Amino acid sequence: MPLLRIALGLVVGSLAALWLRRLAHRLPGASTPDATDGCPRCGAAPSLAGRIPLLAATPLGRCRQCGARGARSLWLDLSAVLGTAVVFWRAGGTPALYVALVVLWLAIAASAIDLRLRIIPNRLLAGAAILGLLAMLPLGEPAYVQGILGAAALLAIGAVLAVVGRGGFGLGDVKYLAVVGLLLGLRPGVLSLLLAVMLGGLYAAGLLATRRATRKDTIAFGPFIAIGSVIVALLLYTPPR
């Protein structure tokens, strides 16, 4: 059963990677279309291997006309495929599986978009919230109560951070925190925020120490919220069965 859950996770993760890549490359301001829509160099239709995550980065996924590699976002593919396999391995067959998948896929999409465009789209957050509410159905009424409390608490904390941060913490981050609170509940949501602040602080300190940034510079905070939420979802929200 563990091997079956991992295999199923790899399949579902591959489909998720395709969707996430399309989403990341079709937003306003994004770069050229991804390999799922055409070759990034000549625009030719990709081969079958060029459409499959992970395989697109191998010689099998090269464009048949110009030889360009198909994969433009290998880290995104790896995160979606391997992350989904891990979630299935830990939570397969438990009611928490679907919520953990929503947390993971939202984290990957939000990170990819925030790093490239410095925004976290409202459509992405609204879609994740709706999927999360549906995913919480197997968990019953307590999950919805905790979700409402978590969303309200993280929304309030995020608003304070946005005011105090003076531009270092955007409204997209605030709304992302609210969705994380909705999905994970009050205590796990607050813990994910604490992890995000700690990781973001360490990263900023490293940039300052190496003089790669100044105190006036800002960083994309969405990826740190994503990392914190995924860690909490995997370690606390989805105990292994």
Side-chain angles (χ1 to χ4, degrees), residues 19 102 106 121-135 179 182-183:
W19 176 77
V102 175
L106 172 60
N122 290 330
R123 291 183 179 180
L124 174 65
L125 296 174
I130 294 173
L131 287 177
L133 291 173
L134 295 175
V179 176
L182 176 67
L183 295 173

Side-chain angles (χ1 to χ4, degrees), residues 22 25-26 33-39 43-46 51:
R22 286 180 178 271
H25 286 269
R26 288 183 176 181
D34 193 72
T36 51
D37 298 317
C39 173
R51 297 177 182 271

Side-chain angles (χ1 to χ4, degrees), residues 29-127:
S31 57
T32 56
D34 193 72
T36 51
D37 298 317
C39 173
R41 180 185 296 174
C42 68
S47 62
L48 178 61
R51 297 177 182 271
I52 301 175
L54 304 185
L55 282 184
T58 68
L60 295 175
R62 290 184 180 274
C63 177
R64 291 170 292 186
Q65 293 192 14
C66 67
R69 288 187 178 182
R72 296 174 53 87
S73 303
L74 181 59
W75 73 267
L76 188 152
D77 292 348
L78 283 171
S79 301
V81 175
L82 300 181
T84 302
V86 171
V87 171
F88 268 84
W89 168 61
R90 286 187 59 86
T94 69
L97 169 65
Y98 307 107
V99 174
L101 288 176
V102 175
V103 171
L104 173 69
W105 294 339
L106 172 60
I108 298 171
S111 297
I113 296 169
D114 197 21
L115 287 172
R116 177 173 299 172
L117 304 177
R118 300 301 293 270
I119 61 172
I120 302 178
N122 290 330
R123 291 183 179 180
L124 174 65
L125 296 174

